[in-house]
Amino acid sequence: MHTVVDLISLANEHLGTDLEPADAERELTELPCWDSVSLLRLVSLLERELGRAVPVAELLEARSLGEIWTVAVGT
């Protein structure tokens, strides 16, 4: 995974979402297919894809998929 678009593709493939690259900066609360369970499932997917733990506390504070990506990759 190299970009937030890869993160969106991962979510679409494994979580059954229908997200578009333009959704990366939208508030998570604005995404009709997103809820807290989606975030927890995404954490597991990210850890598997990245091969390491991701900071869950920081991810819980993220307000968009772009912010989730930033936290997950550590930039």
Side-chain angles (χ1 to χ4, degrees), residues 12-34:
N12 286 341
E13 181 178 344
H14 295 281
L15 303 180
T17 56
D18 189 26
L19 300 166
E20 299 289 334
D23 292 325
E25 297 309 317
R26 289 179 59 195
E27 293 277 332
L28 293 173
T29 57
E30 294 176 2
L31 301 175
C33 57
W34 199 260

Side-chain angles (χ1 to χ4, degrees), residues 41-55:
R41 291 176 61 206
L42 184 62
V43 167
S44 176
L45 289 169
L46 282 169
E47 289 183 338
R48 185 177 56 187
E49 281 291 315
L50 298 172
R52 61 177 170 73
V54 295

